[in-house]
Amino acid sequence: QSVRAAWPEIPDGLIEQIVDWANLRMQLLHKTLHDMDKLREAFKLLARFSYPELGGDEAALEREVNEKLQVLVNYEGYAKDFTAQKNRDGIDQLMARYPYMEFWWDGELRRERPDHIIEAAPFAGAVKRGKPFGQNAIFPHIRSKKVLFFDVNAGVLVVDAIKLANGLAEFRRDPKLKQVLFGEYIYNKDYSRSAQALGFAEETWTQATQRTLNMFGAVGFYGHSGIMDREALIVAGSLPHDFVSEDLMLATMMWLEGFHTTHKEYSLLG
């Protein structure tokens, strides 16, 4: 509205482009869904090479991708009292932009919801809420055998998304392997000197440090940027949410079950 007031004759399409440009440079849900869409783009490209007999049959390629890839968005804030209506409207627009994505949130919706939304509230009077609580609550809706946790501040390039197929192949090489953790790149580290310093520390931790820990089979899990075996997650007790280092505790419980974890850097997630 402020842009329209300063420039009344601005085309509507240009306003949308400006909004996209700004949102893709911040850690917002807009960018999260945009980058999750790259995962599907990468899978579609892999499908073209893997199923040459399908030729240019886009519908058949879509079916193959839908069978192998589920993009499930866990956004609990939609139905909360503190969420402004204009933010809900923006989320509705994003859902319309990515119709293949599935959305879940814990809470009672205050208006009619699209067909592709899963609404469930399996827990009442929870002792302690938080990120692991929401991740565990969405587990019954995960259909895939392997899960890539993708945080709201995460990102991915298509060239790295394609290499996730290599990450899936790691599980065939080691039957006891249940987690493949990837290195990370910090996409906004050039925004300021402070961001550069923090980005350097984060990339050191997720690349060089994990590379060293991997030599001892001691790679943990830190909430995102890792492919995990769904069944192993359940066997290990899922994501504990009553510890300060809940992500690391998950890896510890997996080790106690005799499972292996590893770290790779041929693909970097943001």
Side-chain angles (χ1 to χ4, degrees), residues 36-189:
M36 291 174 71
D37 185 59
K38 294 180 183 177
L39 299 175
R40 184 178 176 83
E41 185 178 340
F43 267 70
K44 288 181 67 175
L45 184 58
L46 288 170
R48 292 183 187 279
F49 286 99
S50 302
Y51 302 98
E53 66 276 11
L54 296 180
D57 190 340
E58 293 295 328
L61 289 172
E62 287 284 342
R63 286 194 297 270
E64 292 293 339
V65 173
N66 290 337
E67 182 179 341
K68 293 176 172 56
L69 178 67
Q70 176 193 21
V71 181
L72 183 55
V73 182
N74 182 1
Y75 188 75
E76 300 179 77
Y78 186 100
K80 302 298 182 183
D81 292 333
F82 56 75
T83 301
Q85 185 58 48
K86 65 178 182 179
N87 291 337
R88 291 195 184 102
D89 293 339
I91 296 170
D92 288 340
Q93 292 174 11
L94 288 173
M95 287 192 290
R97 181 179 297 188
Y98 306 110
Y100 66 87
M101 292 185 182
E102 299 175 49
F103 290 76
W104 178 95
W105 50 69
D106 174 15
E108 181 180 353
L109 302 185
R110 292 176 170 79
R111 57 180 172 169
E112 185 176 353
R113 55 192 182 275
D115 294 336
H116 60 285
I117 292 177
I118 302 170
E119 183 192 1
F123 302 105
V127 177
K128 181 179 179 182
R129 288 181 176 270
K131 173 184 170 183
F133 178 89
Q135 288 176 313
N136 288 331
I138 204 174
F139 253 73
H141 303 296
I142 297 176
R143 299 189 300 272
S144 303
K145 295 180 180 179
K146 299 294 186 289
V147 183
L148 170 65
F149 288 105
F150 206 80
D151 250 350
V152 71
N153 62 343
V156 64
L157 302 173
V158 174
V159 65
D160 286 314
I162 291 176
K163 297 174 187 175
L164 291 177
N166 298 72
L168 293 171
E170 300 285 350
F171 294 94
R172 288 206 304 264
R173 300 190 182 99
D174 180 1
K176 289 189 175 182
L177 180 65
K178 303 302 178 182
Q179 174 197 299
V180 179
L181 184 72
F182 295 101
E184 298 180 10
Y185 72 94
I186 308 304
Y187 61 82
N188 57 358
K189 65 181 179 181

Side-chain angles (χ1 to χ4, degrees), residues 12 14-15 21-22 36 44 46 53 71 77 93 119 157 165 176 203 206 213 216 238 251 266 270:
D12 291 336
L14 182 56
I15 292 180
W21 180 89
M36 291 174 71
K44 288 181 67 175
L46 288 170
E53 66 276 11
V71 181
Q93 292 174 11
E119 183 192 1
L157 302 173
K176 289 189 175 182
E203 289 184 344
T206 62
L213 289 173
F216 304 95
S238 70
Y266 48 70

